[in-house]
Amino acid sequence: MSIILAILGFMTESAPPTPAQLMDQLARAAAAYYRHFAVASGEHGLTLMQGKVLGLLRRPMPMRTLAELLVCDASNVTGIVDRLQARDLVRRETDPADRRIKNVVLTTEGERTVERIRARLTTDLTALEQLDDEDRRAFQRLLGQVFP
Amino acid sequence: MSIILAILGFMTESAPPTPAQLMDQLARAAAAYYRHFAVASGEHGLTLMQGKVLGLLRRPMPMRTLAELLVCDASNVTGIVDRLQARDLVRRETDPADRRIKNVVLTTEGERTVERIRARLTTDLTALEQLDDEDRRAFQRLLGQVFP
DNA sequence: TATTGTTATACTCTATAACTATA
DNA sequence: TATAGTTATAGAGTATAACAATA
């Protein structure tokens, strides 16, 4: 490689970020993600947690499973689901196979709400849709590598 | 390009993720980041919020600034800083130039604690350190693009 | 008057422990 | 006995409104 090209390469290539710098950027990104999510949920009078639960209910699941996915004690889920149910966004259905289990199901209104929250998030993170195929693959790989 | 190579390329190259799939992965990554952060803070008897405040105090700053960075009402910061101060992790210093302002400062013990939290996070996200220069650059660029 | 920080209040999220209904 | 869910409780985060001190 010629000296000229080496110098050009040196000038255009920025120094790679340190792991500490990436950690900082991850912190900002995570905060930004939840800020968007909280705003989108708030537009429907929902808290971040309530929005999270709606988002998890792509299919009905037991209270216990919700607690595991939210990484919180099962007793908390009772209150969160209570408040969602009071607004007719979800309902509890006793499992016929094991009457101890209550499956939480999105109502039609709940489905509509989660749809709107997702749409709003998509609008906010427009940059995600503007990535080309190569960038999407790279982003997927890197996220999967750091958060396996 | 020969048909053989085209087929090989088709077989090895996975389909790029959709924006919706990336959104899902971002949600998981953000949740995982805060899970790690909450665990690291919890090891010092701190909540996620208290850990966040310590992490922000690289330099002293007014309560008001903290509220802006945390994206919460200023009244909340009073309680959070109260609890950190009760444990001698921070102290309030009235600004001599404007006596309305109280600057929050890390104590030596606070510095030690935030150091340990960061160290633990680094241990947890080892994958971050194992990325090569190219991947670090790409990750930085992509994060910056999606969360400007 | 405007701004910084605090207090009071009400609601939500959180973990722990004790309880019930079911298996 | 073991598991799923609830209740009771106490502590922490949250927004709103009203307030004191300072500019």
Side-chain angles (χ1 to χ4, degrees), chain B residues 23-43:
Chain B
M23 189 90 80
D24 268 19
Q25 208 172 355
L26 273 181
R28 282 195 299 275
Y33 176 82
Y34 277 121
R35 199 155 56 243
H36 285 299
F37 196 92
V39 168
S41 301
E43 284 172 351

Side-chain angles (χ1 to χ4, degrees), chain B residues 51-59 61 66 69-70 114 118:
Chain B
K52 264 196 198 181
V53 168
L54 289 192
L56 288 172
L57 290 174
R58 286 202 169 84
R59 59 191 61 227
M61 57 179 69
L66 273 174
L69 293 176
L70 296 169
V114 75
R118 266 199 259 274

Side-chain angles (χ1 to χ4, degrees), chain A residues 38-105:
Chain A
V39 168
S41 301
E43 284 172 351
H44 300 275
L46 299 172
T47 65
L48 178 69
M49 261 301 145
Q50 290 165 359
K52 263 195 196 181
V53 168
L54 288 192
L56 288 172
L57 290 175
R58 287 204 168 83
R59 59 190 62 227
M61 57 180 70
M63 307 284 287
R64 188 66 50 170
T65 307
L66 273 174
E68 280 158 16
L69 293 175
L70 295 170
V71 195
C72 74
D73 192 85
S75 63
N76 302 322
V77 182
T78 299
I80 300 175
V81 169
D82 276 352
R83 287 180 277 277
L84 288 173
Q85 193 166 22
R87 299 183 45 182
D88 277 322
L89 297 172
V90 305
R91 62 175 183 279
R92 289 166 160 94
E93 289 184 353
T94 300
D95 193 317
D98 182 344
R99 296 182 45 75
R100 291 175 302 178
I101 294 175
K102 291 183 187 168
N103 288 299
V104 187
V105 192

